[in-house]
Amino acid sequence: MSVQSSAIVPDRHPLSRPGAPVAGLAWGLLGVLAFSFTVPLTRVAVGGLDPLFIGAGRAVVAALLAAGALALTRQALPRGRQWLRLAVVAGGVVAGFPLLTSYALTEVPASHGAVVIAMLPATTAVIIVLRTGERPVRAFWVFAALGAVAAVGFAMLQGGGTGHLQRADLLLVLGVLACAIGYAEGGAISRELGSWQAISWALVLAAPAMAVLTAVSVVREQPSATATQWLCFAYLACVSMFLGFFAWYRGLAIGPMAQVSQVQLAQPVLSIAWAGLLLGEQVTWLTVMGGSAVVACAAGASSSRRRAPVVPDRTAVKSPI
């Protein structure tokens, strides 16, 4: 994380070099592994801590870490419209997703939460296409659609199904939308600021508002939790809210963004697996079959090549007289 790191060289284009697609997928998968613990650990934490404290407090802790990293490496301040774009990132992944999912997971189990969150990769891909103009080939969309269906179907079967839309489902849907927007914008601005710098500046930007919400939560209800619940909160603050984005935004910055985003199709499978180990939720043969289908579709989508850009035929243009 030095100022000489190639991760911080301003660049509006993908960090393409030999082996870049493989590197982008590898970094993305590492980020997904870190994020896969978020839902089950949030479910544990809300057992003893106020959802507002979890959603806002973890952002405050992460902002302190981010401010220290930025100061130690003497990062230059973002410029002009970059602050507005960082506000979009902060609204999506620093405030929106953590707060909405924290409240939702007070009402539904972790496996149920994975049902809706499984839509995140497909939602992110759509936002990325709208935001960056990337145009994946048809095979990408086929695999992405099949993967989304497989992930949602698997999570619904594992979680006992969802017969109707509950308040928690609405919160999760809004959280997915907010997160997808934050992912897309964060991946794009990471090409200019660097992967860890992007999330760090977003955390710092959101810190005042998150600090106020944390104070409101503490005044309303004094935090009281077990050691395990505090450890879960620490993970959410340090890894889910900070370190995980180092890898995730790095992967998106290397790109192709729409393809790297599909690696997250594996997250519901991993989240339910951790829920089985940490929360005692039963893991059946459906986990193996559904997980295999989701990972296979994610691999197919990730390996699909982008459509080559159309290059105008300059030979057909006549020279001016």
Side-chain angles (χ1 to χ4, degrees):
M1 291 194 305
S2 67
V3 292
Q4 290 81 20
S5 171
S6 61
I8 64 175
V9 177
D11 188 358
R12 297 180 182 274
H13 304 287
L15 307 178
S16 54
R17 56 178 61 90
V22 175
L25 293 174
W27 280 109
L29 184 58
L30 182 60
V32 164
L33 179 61
F35 295 148
S36 67
F37 288 94
T38 301
V39 170
L41 294 188
T42 299
R43 179 64 178 168
V44 174
V46 295
L49 295 170
D50 182 20
L52 181 59
F53 179 84
I54 295 172
R58 76 192 210 186
V60 173
V61 174
L64 293 174
L65 297 175
L70 291 169
L72 287 174
T73 55
R74 299 180 181 180
Q75 297 297 311
L77 289 171
R79 302 182 302 274
R81 289 180 58 83
Q82 288 179 333
W83 285 111
L84 180 60
R85 296 170 63 191
L86 287 169
V88 173
V89 177
V93 301
V94 177
F97 186 77
L99 287 169
L100 291 165
T101 55
S102 292
Y103 276 102
L105 289 169
T106 63
E107 303 176 14
V108 295
S111 57
H112 185 102
V115 173
V116 181
I117 294 175
M119 298 188 303
L120 182 56
T123 307
T124 302
V126 172
I127 299 297
I128 286 173
V129 166
L130 295 175
R131 171 64 181 83
T132 68
E134 288 188 14
R135 292 295 183 268
V137 295
R138 184 176 302 175
F140 167 83
W141 292 112
V142 171
F143 279 117
L146 289 175
V149 171
V152 172
F154 161 67
M156 289 181 67
L157 290 172
Q158 185 69 22
T162 52
H164 60 279
L165 188 65
Q166 305 176 55
R167 188 181 82 101
D169 294 321
L170 179 58
L171 293 176
L172 289 168
V173 167
L174 293 175
V176 165
L177 180 59
C179 192
I181 294 172
Y183 278 173
E185 192 60 49
I189 199 170
S190 290
R191 294 173 176 175
E192 302 174 26
L193 300 177
S195 54
W196 70 268
Q197 293 90 336
I199 187 60
S200 295
W201 284 117
L203 285 164
V204 169
L205 184 61
M210 294 296 100
V212 170
L213 292 177
T214 303
V216 169
S217 173
V218 171
V219 170
R220 186 177 65 182
E221 181 181 344
Q222 192 71 22
S224 177
T226 65
T228 299
Q229 290 164 343
W230 279 116
L231 285 174
C232 290
F233 174 81
Y235 183 95
L236 295 173
C238 298
V239 180
S240 297
M241 194 81 265
F242 187 52
L243 295 178
F245 281 97
F246 283 34
W248 180 239
Y249 278 162
R250 177 65 177 174
L252 290 177
I254 294 173
M257 288 176 64
Q259 292 173 328
V260 172
S261 71
Q262 296 309 289
V263 175
Q264 202 169 35
L265 282 167
Q267 186 168 325
V269 180
L270 293 171
S271 294
I272 292 177
W274 306 143
L277 293 173
L278 300 175
L279 307 181
E281 296 184 7
Q282 185 179 7
V283 178
T284 67
W285 61 270
L286 288 174
T287 301
V288 177
M289 293 187 63
S292 299
V294 170
V295 172
C297 291
S302 298
S303 63
S304 300
R305 298 178 62 183
R306 287 185 301 173
R307 180 179 293 115
V310 177
V311 179
D313 184 2
R314 300 183 181 276
T315 61
V317 180
K318 297 181 178 180
S319 301
I321 298 176

